[in-house]
Amino acid sequence: MKTSSVAAKNQLSHGPEKIVTLSYVAAEAEEPPSKSVILTGLEDEPPGRPATGKDRLFRNVPESSWKDWKWQFRNRIVSVDQLKQLLPLSSEEEAQIRTVTRRYPLSITPYYLSLIDPANPRDPVRMQSVPCIEEITQSAMGMEDPLSEKEDSVVPGMVHRYPDRALMVLTDICPMLCRHCTRKREWRHGGWVRPDSEIEAMLDYLRRHTEVRDVILSGGDPLTLSTSHLESIISRIRAIEHIDIIRIGSRFPVVLPQRIDAELCDMLSRQGPIWFNSHFNHPNEVTPEAAAACDRLLRAGVPVNNQTVLLRGINDSVEIQTRLCHKLLKAKVRPYYLFQCDEVQGTEHLRTSVDVGIKIIEGMRGHTSGLAIPNFVVDLVQGGGKVPLQPNYVLAMNEDELLLKNYEGKVFRYRNPNSQKSRSETDAPPPVSGVVESLLAAADLPAKAKGEANADRVIIRS
Ligand code: SF4
């Protein structure tokens, strides 16, 4: 595959008010040289006209190229020299990014880069895609492979941890390298796609293990494979009688939604039932293009569930998570998981403490529909699997009744239907707020619940 060919020729001044237009070396047959866009230089943005990132940075790129996922993929920004033409970087930042990329490379699609507000150094899209020095300075924290995926590999590329599910890692290539990636350890090996001999070994394993009914295709990003290559793998999985469901985990709808084209959707529709796990982390990522990509999947009969990673300074607040989940629901995407960021080397600066995630869920519960609330989970080290974490709504419990806190912090008694006592013996007083102790005394429930009713529900940034 031909790689990025951004050919920047101008130095960009450090300010959002400048526009740089770049030339792109077109790719072989699909984009003959006559279609190359010629650099025209640095221009002042017309006053009063807010430019989109596409208009501001890639205005010379024809719409047909912009909408072509292969063009986007070929023209990924993969070097600091390319990046500094498109984003304001101080000389210190530039030097730091050069240092980081010696260990952890960078790759950003033009589309995803166009979502960055260049005036905001803490822009959530920027923080997910542009390397920062903490990846190196805090790299002593964490592990290379916290989920012990290597140890759970039954054949190369296949992880079989849960009884009825298996994971197939088809490639380590991704269009955008997320700075919080759990498989960051793979980046240094260069891009690879698993050869067919290894795919066949994985399929053999699946054929022999009739307990597996759900196969997850992952990476890297499996959609970096061509549609025909992907279909050749999916159709062989589909031919295994005991496999009910195939799931695809991909960030393409977020970082390169153009990939979700008619050819791909037709193939997924043919090979269904297929479920899709997307990876939106911030409401700014749910653009009209991304929503349209999800809509194409849904119209092809592919349900889309979203898995968000909780990231410090990016989405660690009730307000941002609620906006994200509402935008996802509008796009008919179900918020499925909110993951605690794994203990991966080079990601410590993006990790929050676990209680932030719990308090975010607590801040959402009751204030929006349950459909908008994901399951907050921690993926345990050493392959221990996912553990869901919830705010504590059960203040006390015995075999007769429970003392429950609702979303407003009000405390209620609830008769346990298994109780041998009659209802009259356990009749509760009307709901009251902030008087847990008196209820505890009246109900003779365990005193361990004292003080929990007024737990801080406000947080919100780590
Ligand atoms: S898309 Fe997934 S596998 Fe690829 S870099 Fe991002 S987090 Fe890692």
Side-chain angles (χ1 to χ4, degrees), residues 173-174 176-178 180-183 187 219-221 250-251 279:
I173 302 171
C174 291
M176 200 276 277
L177 293 176
C178 314
H180 57 274
C181 180
T182 297
R183 301 197 177 111
W187 295 358
D221 201 311
S250 169
R251 236 194 151 190
H279 179 169

Side-chain angles (χ1 to χ4, degrees), residues 133-146:
I133 195 65
E134 284 81 7
E135 292 178 48
I136 298 295
T137 56
Q138 296 183 20
S139 66
M141 313 279 278
M143 294 167 252
E144 267 216 323
D145 179 15

Side-chain angles (χ1 to χ4, degrees), residues 97-222:
I97 295 172
R98 283 188 198 284
T99 303
V100 177
T101 51
R102 282 200 276 275
R103 178 162 175 185
Y104 297 123
L106 89 101
S107 174
I108 313 173
T109 61
Y111 163 81
Y112 197 67
L113 189 122
S114 79
L115 306 183
I116 297 175
D117 172 2
N120 180 7
R122 307 282 301 167
D123 179 274
V125 171
R126 179 182 184 141
M127 287 177 69
Q128 290 182 68
S129 56
V130 175
C132 80
I133 195 65
E134 284 81 7
E135 292 178 48
I136 298 295
T137 56
Q138 296 183 20
S139 66
M141 313 279 278
M143 294 167 252
E144 267 216 323
D145 179 15
L147 307 185
S148 300
E149 290 183 323
K150 281 185 194 157
E151 285 166 31
D152 284 350
S153 263
V154 285
V155 292
M158 174 159 278
V159 179
H160 188 188
R161 176 176 300 149
Y162 302 102
D164 68 340
R165 282 148 284 166
L167 176 82
M168 290 174 76
V169 178
L170 303 182
T171 175
D172 77 338
I173 302 171
C174 291
M176 200 276 277
L177 293 176
C178 314
R179 307 323 297 176
H180 57 274
C181 180
T182 297
R183 301 197 177 111
K184 227 165 167 170
R185 65 184 183 277
E186 296 287 345
W187 295 358
R188 75 173 76 107
H189 303 310
W192 51 260
V193 174
R194 217 163 274 290
D196 208 56
S197 56
E198 292 185 3
I199 298 287
E200 261 308 316
M202 287 192 260
L203 293 169
D204 271 349
Y205 181 90
L206 289 177
R207 289 179 193 116
R208 284 185 280 110
H209 286 262
T210 52
E211 73 275 20
V212 178
R213 43 164 289 283
D214 182 347
V215 174
I216 301 152
L217 304 183
S218 182
D221 201 311

